[in-house]
Amino acid sequence: NAGVTQTPKFRILKIGQSMTLQCTQDMNHNYMYWYRQDPGMGLKLIYYSVGAGITDKGEVPNGYNVSRSTTEDFPLRLELAAPSQTSVYFCASSPGGSSNQPQHFGDGTRLSIL
Amino acid sequence: GEDVEQSLFLSVREGDSSVINCTYTDSSSTYLYWYKQEPGAGLQLLTYIFSNMDMKQDQRLTVLLNKKDKHLSLRIADTQTGDSAIYFCAERGGLDSGYSTLTFGKGTMLLVSP
């Protein structure tokens, strides 16, 4: 059971380049999330999705875009990379619904923008 | 918006008990969580507590919740060097998000010395 899988694990980008961070889950979870983690700052929510075709902004959405065409996949796109986007990015998923919904995390993508 | 505060660092000796504290502001919180992050890894769910409970025990872990003071604590009995990690407190809420999202604290780094 793979859980939440993120690719790539590491990436270095030049300023102004674009890239897509991939996230897929095999638990049939409806809810998916993207966070960024900066040193000493905890996790900040970028975007989330409560189901295929539905996405919502989190706390820090500027500079990012997402799509949710399938239940399994929730890619995060950076269009014009900036140094401020150097961070560790985590994808998570949860069952959703009205009951307790702990989030399951991937291992992260470490992104440096130079 | 919601806020979750934690102390940043805790150092204990192997075999002692560790207590990590957390305060939150959202009075509509329904579930509160503790996650563990080891170096280079994602977040692993340790335990959670429903807001109508005062205490939850799970092997070496004890969670105490004071809903009146909005204070949550995680006690680790017989702390081992393998418990060294960053521990995140998180609350489920946001009435605005339909309780779909989590708000995380900045994390407490626990260092266990032999």
Side-chain angles (χ1 to χ4, degrees), chain A residues 49-84:
Chain A
S49 168
V50 301
I54 306 169
T55 62
D56 279 294
K57 294 178 179 179
E59 186 179 356
V60 290
N62 291 344
Y64 306 95
N65 280 301
V66 293
S67 59
R68 185 92 182 274
S69 56
T70 67
T71 299
E72 294 78 19
D73 300 305
F74 190 41
L76 176 73
R77 182 149 181 91
L78 283 70
E79 290 293 351
L80 287 171
S84 61

Side-chain angles (χ1 to χ4, degrees), chain B residues 20-69:
Chain B
I20 301 172
N21 294 300
C22 169
T23 58
Y24 60 98
T25 59
D26 186 0
S27 57
S28 63
S29 292
T30 53
Y31 286 92
L32 296 119
Y33 304 84
W34 285 103
Y35 283 85
K36 177 183 180 182
Q37 184 182 32
E38 296 179 350
L43 276 70
Q44 171 195 357
L45 178 67
L46 280 180
T47 187
Y48 64 91
I49 188 167
F50 187 46
S51 59
N52 69 352
M53 298 170 64
D54 297 326
M55 184 182 84
K56 180 178 180 181
Q57 188 149 2
D58 185 0
Q59 300 182 335
R60 292 190 299 122
L61 305 178
T62 302
V63 178
L64 295 178
L65 175 61
N66 182 328
K67 193 171 182 180
K68 174 176 169 289
D69 294 338

Side-chain angles (χ1 to χ4, degrees), chain A residues 5 11 24 27 46 75 80 88 106:
Chain A
T5 303
R11 185 72 184 268
T24 187
M27 297 173 282
I46 305 172
L80 287 171
V88 182

Side-chain angles (χ1 to χ4, degrees), chain A residues 16-45:
Chain A
Q17 286 186 320
S18 61
M19 78 163 292
T20 299
L21 283 66
Q22 302 290 345
C23 175
T24 187
Q25 52 92 10
D26 61 0
M27 297 173 282
N28 202 32
H29 285 172
N30 287 319
Y31 289 41
M32 296 188 75
Y33 310 81
W34 274 107
Y35 295 90
R36 58 178 287 172
Q37 183 182 30
D38 300 310
M41 295 300 294
L43 278 76
K44 299 290 186 184
L45 182 66

